[in-house]
Amino acid sequence: MKIEDKKELMKQIRDEVLDLKKSPLYKFRTENHYFPVIGEGSHNAKIMFIGEAPGRNEAKTGKPFCGSAGKILDELLENAGIKREDVYIGNILKDRPQQNRDPLPNEIKIYGPFLDRQINIIQPKVIATLGRYSMDYIMRKFGLESQLLPIGQMHGKVFDAKAEYGDVKIAVLYHPAVAIYNNKTKDTLKEDFMILKNFI
Ligand code: URA
């Protein structure tokens, strides 16, 4: 797919999400003058990171992972020798849930199809899931639910899957936010991120 076509398809997603009145998070967004967070990065990225949902900083700016979890993500990328502008970073939910609570099943149902479309636009070689909601969504989407275990037993593993556009690998990672107050998990995350080096 041509890069201009990718850009256009992403714009369509943005416009649809902007007007997503059926979402239970729409009112919270508009009342707070928040932005939806569609995603950011290269539309030709080999690696696509998928987080959970925007937090306050993200909703205020429209950019994914720009708060404290973002700082950790930047550190992890740098440590693995991966440039942020070479990858694509998105989330399952495009709007911030109140009090940063966990995504609800009906919210995942509403926003999931947008993520599915983004995956088919970017056509990454690797989908790196950040946190258990993202792991769960992606593993199920690719029919790998029988291999799902608690994230403590899944992180750092890579799974082979078939996307509509071809082969894709799924790399399961902890959410960077777990390392904000825990240096030990940061070391684990650093180690796990090294598996991504093989794909750049
Ligand atoms: N946490 C996420 O899962 N996504 C963001 O964009 C920011 C924090």
Side-chain angles (χ1 to χ4, degrees), residues 67-79:
S68 42
K71 260 199 202 126
I72 308 259
L73 178 61
D74 288 347
E75 195 182 327
L76 294 164
L77 288 172
E78 196 184 336
N79 190 64

Side-chain angles (χ1 to χ4, degrees), residues 9-26:
L9 289 170
M10 281 291 190
K11 239 194 234 153
Q12 273 174 29
I13 291 175
R14 187 198 60 192
D15 291 347
E16 286 174 46
V17 174
L18 263 172
D19 197 37
L20 198 64
K21 297 191 182 71
K22 69 171 180 185
S23 165
L25 303 175
Y26 178 85

Side-chain angles (χ1 to χ4, degrees), residues 32-188:
N32 287 282
H33 305 288
Y34 285 155
F35 292 104
V37 180
I38 306 302
E40 184 182 60
S42 165
H43 290 168
N44 283 331
K46 292 204 176 75
I47 307 174
M48 181 171 181
F49 288 90
I50 300 171
E52 195 172 296
R56 189 158 174 268
N57 287 297
E58 288 78 19
K60 281 186 142 186
T61 58
K63 291 179 183 304
F65 284 94
C66 65
S68 42
K71 260 199 202 126
I72 308 259
L73 178 61
D74 288 347
E75 195 182 327
L76 294 164
L77 288 172
E78 196 184 336
N79 190 64
I82 300 167
K83 289 203 190 88
R84 184 163 165 147
E85 64 263 32
D86 289 345
V87 302
Y88 191 88
I89 303 173
N91 285 302
I92 309 177
L93 304 196
K94 312 305 187 198
D95 283 305
R96 180 188 177 210
Q98 297 88 339
Q99 282 97 40
N100 298 345
R101 59 157 173 74
D102 289 343
L104 298 172
N106 69 318
E107 292 165 353
I108 294 175
K109 213 166 159 186
I110 288 174
Y111 289 95
F114 293 109
L115 175 62
D116 297 345
R117 281 161 61 186
Q118 287 178 297
I119 292 171
N120 282 332
I121 294 168
I122 294 167
Q123 309 193 348
K125 295 258 170 286
V126 189
I127 296 173
T129 62
L130 301 170
R132 69 188 163 97
Y133 283 92
S134 174
M135 166 186 87
D136 225 74
Y137 183 82
I138 293 296
M139 290 292 284
R140 288 178 197 282
K141 168 181 165 58
F142 288 107
L144 300 172
E145 57 270 24
S146 65
Q147 298 189 57
L148 270 170
L149 293 167
I151 193 162
Q153 293 166 58
M154 294 278 285
H155 74 91
K157 290 192 182 156
V158 179
F159 297 84
D160 288 308
K162 284 250 178 281
E164 283 171 36
Y165 58 86
D167 292 342
V168 67
K169 297 212 182 275
I170 298 163
V172 177
L173 302 165
Y174 278 127
H175 195 287
V178 300
I180 294 175
Y181 301 109
N182 188 334
N183 274 323
K184 210 169 147 241
T185 9
K186 196 193 266 185
D187 289 342
T188 307

